[in-house]
Amino acid sequence: MKSSIRPGRSASSIGQGLELHGRMRHQIVVRAMHEWKIRPVSVPELARFMRHHVYRSLEDLGWIHTELADYLAEVLVRFAKTENLFPWSSVNRQRLAYLVDYLTEIAVQSEGGGSSLKQERALRQQVGDFSLFMSGIFRDFVKSKGILDFYLEEGSESYRRTAELKRRLLEPGAGRFDDLAEHFDRLSGALDYTCRVYFRSLGAKAKTPGV
């Protein structure tokens, strides 16, 4: 898997991914401004917009889970910022723009003994969030590359590992990540539905090199 993905990691492809993310954020913000009559859109107002459409999507699909719906909306708002979707690696100071980059980051930190349990938990949660976002919002692209199952499996496993680490750290909220792991496929599908139905212009045009 690594050999087939990593050669495409170049400055130009990262730049293309960042440009795409900028267009995606612009489309969502413009839609929010139009729907809520807001100028400009603040973070709380964007959160309200995202939550509204995530709830509508889950209602349409006949499945309501308030806590997970709120988390989906949080992920969408957080990833509206480029630095959250493509953070900098602590290993080589390049952006983590591919799922394999995150897995490499985890492996290197684990082998070198350079990460604490809290750092591993944060990175595992980020892997779950990134996998959920990409497999939902950019499902057509991920599916066209034949790696949808890879995203779904890694995302679910990362949330499961996040729950385990939270328990070891005596942090609250482990149960939510158990639920995210259990329902990962369904939540990813819900994001795909949200994109297609409520962000249709985005869903029709979305393509990204970051896999």
Side-chain angles (χ1 to χ4, degrees):
M1 179 65 66
K2 291 183 182 179
S3 62
S4 64
I5 295 176
R6 288 192 68 82
R9 193 185 202 288
S10 64
S12 61
S13 64
I14 296 298
Q16 185 180 355
L18 295 174
E19 181 183 354
L20 170 75
H21 177 260
R23 292 201 306 268
M24 178 190 72
R25 183 183 187 281
H26 174 74
Q27 289 175 349
I28 291 176
V29 169
V30 168
R31 180 70 180 269
M33 288 170 62
H34 174 75
E35 182 153 334
W36 296 100
K37 306 293 191 297
I38 297 166
R39 291 186 181 277
V41 176
S42 66
V43 171
E45 290 159 342
L46 184 60
R48 177 189 175 198
F49 171 80
M50 294 298 191
R51 192 177 299 110
H52 172 74
H53 287 295
V54 167
Y55 269 74
R56 286 181 64 184
S57 297
L58 292 182
E59 287 177 358
D60 292 347
L61 296 171
W63 186 64
I64 299 298
H65 193 305
T66 301
E67 186 175 14
L68 297 189
D70 287 342
Y71 190 82
L72 284 183
E74 288 175 17
V75 169
L76 292 176
V77 173
R78 188 173 352 117
F79 283 164
K81 289 189 175 182
T82 302
E83 61 267 28
N84 292 336
L85 183 60
F86 302 124
W88 294 102
S89 167
S90 64
V91 175
N92 57 23
R93 301 309 301 165
Q94 295 185 23
R95 285 192 182 275
L96 299 175
Y98 299 76
L99 181 52
V100 72
D101 289 339
Y102 284 100
L103 300 180
T104 299
E105 185 95 350
I106 292 172
V108 170
Q109 290 189 9
S110 178
E111 291 172 3
S115 66
S116 65
L117 286 181
K118 282 191 175 183
Q119 289 173 322
E120 183 183 354
R121 190 268 300 152
L123 193 51
R124 281 292 182 181
Q125 182 177 345
Q126 176 76 5
V127 171
D129 294 345
F130 181 82
S131 300
L132 183 61
F133 182 83
M134 295 298 296
S135 64
I137 299 299
F138 296 112
R139 172 162 292 216
D140 286 346
F141 180 83
V142 172
K143 197 172 182 179
S144 74
K145 296 298 181 181
I147 54 174
L148 178 59
D149 288 345
F150 175 54
Y151 270 75
L152 297 177
E153 291 167 8
E154 289 294 341
S156 178
E157 173 60 21
S158 287
Y159 279 146
R160 184 192 65 77
R161 180 63 177 154
T162 299
E164 290 179 356
L165 290 167
K166 275 185 166 288
R167 290 190 175 92
R168 290 178 63 183
L169 291 163
L170 302 180
E171 293 180 348
R176 176 170 64 176
F177 289 93
D178 285 328
D179 290 341
L180 286 165
E182 180 181 355
H183 301 294
F184 191 92
D185 290 16
R186 196 170 191 177
L187 294 168
S188 174
L191 280 184
D192 177 52
Y193 178 88
T194 303
C195 184
R196 292 178 183 279
V197 175
Y198 297 113
F199 308 142
R200 185 164 296 174
S201 61
L202 169 63
K205 299 176 182 178
K207 292 183 180 179
T208 179
V211 296

